[in-house]
Amino acid sequence: MEKVKTIVLKEWAEVFKNRMVLFTVAFLPLLFTAMPLITLVATANLEGDISGVDSPPDEFFGDLCIELSEFDCTQVYLLNIYTLMFMMLPVIIPASIASYSIVGEKTARSLEPILATPITVLELVTAKAIAAIIPAIVVTWIAFGAYVIGAWFMVTETIFGYLVAPMWLIAVFIVGPLLALMAVSAAIMISSRVSDPRVAEQLSAIVVLPLLMLIIGQSVGFILIDRRVIVLMGVVVAVLDAGLLYLSVRVFQRETILTRWK
Amino acid sequence: MIKCENLTKKFDETLAVDRLTLDIAEGEVFGFLGPNGAGKTTTVRMLTSLIGPTAGEATVMGYKIGQDDQEIRRNVGILTETPGLYDRLSAWRNLTIYAKLYEVEQVAAQVEKYLKMLGLWARRHDAAGTFSKGMRQKLAIARTLLHEPKIIFLDEPTAGLDPEAAKLVRDFIAELKGEGRTIFICTHNLDEADRLCDRVAVFKTRLRVVNTPKALRKQLYGRQVVFHLAEAAEPFGAIAATFPFLKRTQTVENKLVLAMDEPERHNPEIIRHLVQSGANIQFVGELRHSLEDVYLQLVKDES
């Protein structure tokens, strides 16, 4: 455990001196927190004006808008989209950290001396994963907390109840970390094949595409994110995690790293 | 300390190391010479349990590679071909990380000891990325020694260093030799190998030859004495050739080069005879072939 801790602290000391990583870790959560709050401020005075605008049919909302006014329902609908965006953070941030960390070590040729020490491959992969996942989760939770606190001042109690519904708490506190693990596993595999951290980061961020599709799907009225979708997503991501983690540990073998990594 | 028996490594269809058999004694400084792509780094990686062999076996300090890998890693130190430092971190931090990974008990004391020993103490808080090549190499050497390994593998320890830095590194290796550690050096620098190594091996996918530098010279060239004359040497070459103990006679301008087994015994007789024949001998010395001559000769013979 001491070795894992040593590597984790080393990763943070190194990677957070990289401006690109720092930008991703600091700027994105700020943006994702500010956007919904600005939207709430901007739409606060629109009540009454909203009736008559084209909106998805009532049957589309299912039980989302029971006992809600059309304005409240629209607000819930918008906030759902924004809350979904908080699930993108645990994907983008660890992909960025892991990519810069692994490709950075490859280009600096600092992996061989590390691999020559009595650290096990599992300890090394675990440390790399923890170093990438923990900052992502912490930052996501802080950003989500700030968003929830901000929204509490701006929305009615009913709407606030929707915001902190179990569905979203599961999404942010359970599915989010699972997504982060998936992003790190993907970043490890991709980093083994490329020699530019930006390429690794961009390719790893492909993991975010299904999430984007969900957001777009809900925005255009194609799909409604509800409890079932979130639970299903959690199950699918957990299964994918198991497979990707197995593959990334296989890629992260001493001999493979030293003789096959490009 | 290091024993290999038919150690072989293949990468797909490419044979990198072919049936290497070696026995390196405790406290020996062993030079591993060979051209680029000869398989030297692959051999070091196998012996440090970084990669596994395709066939054959080897033991390092009695630990078997492929079986006791963690023990081997715990007990050997390796200086890789490139320093592989964390450029954004300080020298102190770089070494602390490795001391912890090598399970060193007194981390701070060991780090301090080697930073001071290698003259980096004053720069301990500076990022490794700001160091010169020589300082980076010294830091990497310090990293190799933190856990006091009994066997040290040095892969091209002076490659790319300026003469002053290279000398510093060489002097330090000589110090380590004095401490009784077993040192395995891969190098292109034959002068360095000649000065530091007890034995050298010439290796190109397979072991071509292994012996002490002195024995290799003798094996290839025998012992040769050069007589510098005040006049052309050619007429005296024919005179010298009459000595039955001479193995070879060669003349180059005013130099007479004679190969024999025991120059200490035969030189007085040769000198007397040459002087009586009218030669004006200016000075006499043993012709020392460099290890480079030996290496190039072996590589030439091979091709």
Side-chain angles (χ1 to χ4, degrees):
Chain A
M1 205 55 202
E2 189 58 33
K3 287 178 193 152
V4 173
K5 189 178 145 195
T6 302
I7 296 288
V8 169
L9 295 176
K10 185 275 290 180
E11 293 285 315
W12 288 344
E14 264 253 305
V15 92
F16 288 126
K17 284 186 178 147
N18 184 310
R19 282 182 199 161
M20 286 303 292
V21 175
L22 211 56
F23 175 82
T24 308
V25 175
F27 180 72
L28 273 185
L30 276 177
L31 185 73
F32 283 19
T33 309
M35 272 166 54
L37 296 178
I38 290 168
T39 306
L40 284 175
V41 172
T43 56
N45 299 320
L46 289 180
E47 195 166 7
D49 297 343
I50 202 142
S51 55
V53 297
D54 285 340
S55 57
D58 287 344
E59 62 268 23
F60 173 74
F61 289 106
D63 57 1
L64 181 71
C65 293
I66 293 169
E67 295 175 0
L68 287 182
S69 68
E70 198 162 356
F71 174 75
D72 285 351
C73 182
T74 307
Q75 268 202 326
V76 169
Y77 180 71
L78 280 175
L79 288 177
N80 277 3
I81 292 172
Y82 283 124
T83 312
L84 202 56
M85 285 172 71
F86 279 95
M87 295 172 77
M88 285 167 64
L89 287 178
V91 175
I92 297 169
I93 294 172
S96 174
I97 295 174
S99 300
Y100 275 92
S101 147
I102 296 167
V103 180
E105 291 229 55
K106 262 171 70 175
T107 49
R109 303 210 178 170
S110 52
L111 270 173
E112 187 169 357
I114 283 275
L115 294 169
T117 69
I119 191 170
T120 64
V121 167
L122 191 63
E123 282 172 327
L124 192 54
V125 176
T126 306
K128 293 254 174 214
I130 289 174
I133 290 171
I134 286 183
I137 291 173
V138 168
V139 163
T140 302
W141 289 354
I142 289 173
F144 182 72
Y147 159 63
V148 168
I149 291 167
W152 186 72
F153 289 107
M154 297 180 196
V155 296
T156 62
E157 207 172 306
T158 316
I159 293 176
F160 187 76
Y162 278 88
L163 201 64
V164 291
M167 169 180 108
W168 287 120
L169 298 182
I170 289 170
V172 172
F173 293 100
I174 294 173
V175 184
L178 288 172
L179 281 167
L181 185 58
M182 188 163 80
V184 167
S185 304
I188 288 173
M189 284 193 293
I190 290 163
S191 298
S192 71
R193 309 300 302 174
V194 302
S195 51
D196 185 339
R198 284 163 299 186
V199 175
E201 186 187 22
Q202 284 156 11
L203 289 175
S204 310
I206 285 174
V207 177
V208 91
L209 279 182
L211 276 172
L212 265 180
M213 284 160 69
L214 279 178
I215 294 171
I216 295 167
Q218 169 140 342
S219 305
V220 299
F222 182 72
I223 187 172
L224 180 69
I225 310 294
D226 58 12
R227 214 174 308 141
R228 280 168 305 174
V229 174
I230 295 292
V231 170
L232 183 68
M233 192 171 28
V235 172
V236 170
V237 173
V239 171
L240 283 174
D241 275 348
L244 285 171
L245 202 59
Y246 169 76
L247 289 175
S248 60
V249 170
R250 279 196 61 176
V251 164
F252 221 87
Q253 294 300 314
R254 280 181 166 83
E255 181 147 357
T256 315
I257 291 170
L258 293 173
T259 61
R260 304 220 181 258
W261 278 26
K262 303 271 184 259
Chain B
M1 282 298 252
I2 303 173
K3 280 185 184 176
C4 312
E5 188 84 37
N6 292 318
L7 197 65
T8 302
K9 182 69 185 178
K10 268 177 114 175
F11 294 111
D12 299 323
E13 290 310 305
T14 310
L15 187 61
V17 176
D18 184 19
R19 289 166 294 155
L20 173 66
T21 298
L22 270 182
D23 193 345
I24 300 170
E26 186 173 355
E28 186 175 358
V29 179
F30 190 84
F32 206 51
L33 318 177
N36 287 334
K40 302 189 298 292
T41 300
T42 301
T43 303
V44 168
R45 285 176 172 174
M46 281 195 283
L47 294 176
T48 51
S49 282
L50 279 165
I51 60 175
T54 310
E57 50 187 49
T59 57
V60 177
M61 289 177 71
Y63 297 113
K64 198 171 175 187
I65 63 167
Q67 194 175 298
D68 309 313
D69 293 332
Q70 282 297 86
E71 282 310 311
I72 291 173
R73 288 183 205 119
R74 200 167 275 129
N75 286 290
V76 306
I78 176 171
L79 175 73
T80 49
E81 212 172 343
T82 45
L85 301 167
Y86 297 114
D87 284 348
R88 291 191 175 99
L89 305 184
S90 68
W92 176 273
R93 188 78 191 264
N94 263 280
L95 294 192
T96 305
I97 289 164
Y98 279 89
K100 287 179 179 169
L101 294 178
Y102 276 114
E103 302 157 7
V104 170
E105 282 181 16
Q106 305 286 329
V107 171
Q110 278 299 93
V111 170
E112 184 178 338
K113 173 184 165 182
Y114 281 104
L115 281 174
K116 283 183 174 168
M117 197 180 274
L118 284 147
L120 297 170
W121 181 249
R123 299 281 308 270
R124 66 189 180 280
H125 297 307
D126 295 349
T130 63
F131 284 9
S132 67
K133 260 189 175 179
M135 290 170 76
R136 291 167 65 77
Q137 191 70 340
K138 285 200 279 182
L139 188 58
I141 290 174
R143 183 185 63 198
T144 307
L145 300 169
L146 281 170
H147 56 301
E148 305 291 357
K150 288 205 171 64
I151 302 181
I152 302 161
F153 290 86
L154 305 172
D155 199 353
E156 303 291 353
T158 55
L161 299 186
D162 62 51
E164 197 187 346
K167 187 181 179 308
L168 275 171
V169 170
R170 263 198 306 273
D171 290 347
F172 191 71
I173 296 169
E175 252 180 69
L176 294 176
K177 183 181 175 180
E179 290 173 10
R181 304 193 205 224
T182 307
I183 305 174
F184 187 104
I185 310 179
C186 290
T187 183
H188 280 123
N189 188 328
L190 300 163
D191 178 50
E192 179 176 288
D194 205 359
R195 277 194 258 175
L196 292 170
C197 300
D198 299 315
R199 281 194 303 156
V200 293
V202 177
F203 181 79
K204 192 178 171 189
T205 308
R206 62 186 175 81
L207 193 63
R208 309 294 166 167
V209 66
V210 56
N211 216 326
T212 63
K214 193 178 167 187
L216 279 180
R217 279 191 207 98
K218 197 176 169 192
Q219 193 178 318
L220 275 181
Y221 300 103
R223 291 181 74 184
Q224 292 177 309
V225 178
V226 59
F227 296 81
H228 289 256
L229 309 180
E231 55 278 309
E234 203 174 345
F236 300 100
I239 296 166
T242 57
F243 287 112
F245 50 78
L246 288 186
K247 291 183 164 176
R248 208 166 51 248
T249 306
Q250 194 189 349
T251 56
V252 184
E253 294 170 0
N254 66 330
K255 288 190 275 291
L256 178 63
V257 183
L258 306 177
M260 66 194 100
D261 282 337
E262 297 172 278
E264 294 85 354
R265 195 175 136 206
H266 300 302
N267 274 351
E269 190 185 345
I270 297 169
I271 293 167
R272 254 195 320 272
H273 196 75
L274 287 173
V275 170
Q276 281 168 6
S277 306
N280 292 298
I281 301 171
Q282 291 174 317
F283 48 91
V284 181
E286 185 163 3
L287 184 63
R288 258 182 74 89
H289 282 277
S290 67
L291 189 58
E292 188 173 8
D293 295 333
V294 175
Y295 174 81
L296 292 173
Q297 185 66 48
L298 283 167
V299 171
K300 197 173 110 191
D301 289 351
E302 187 64 34
S303 61

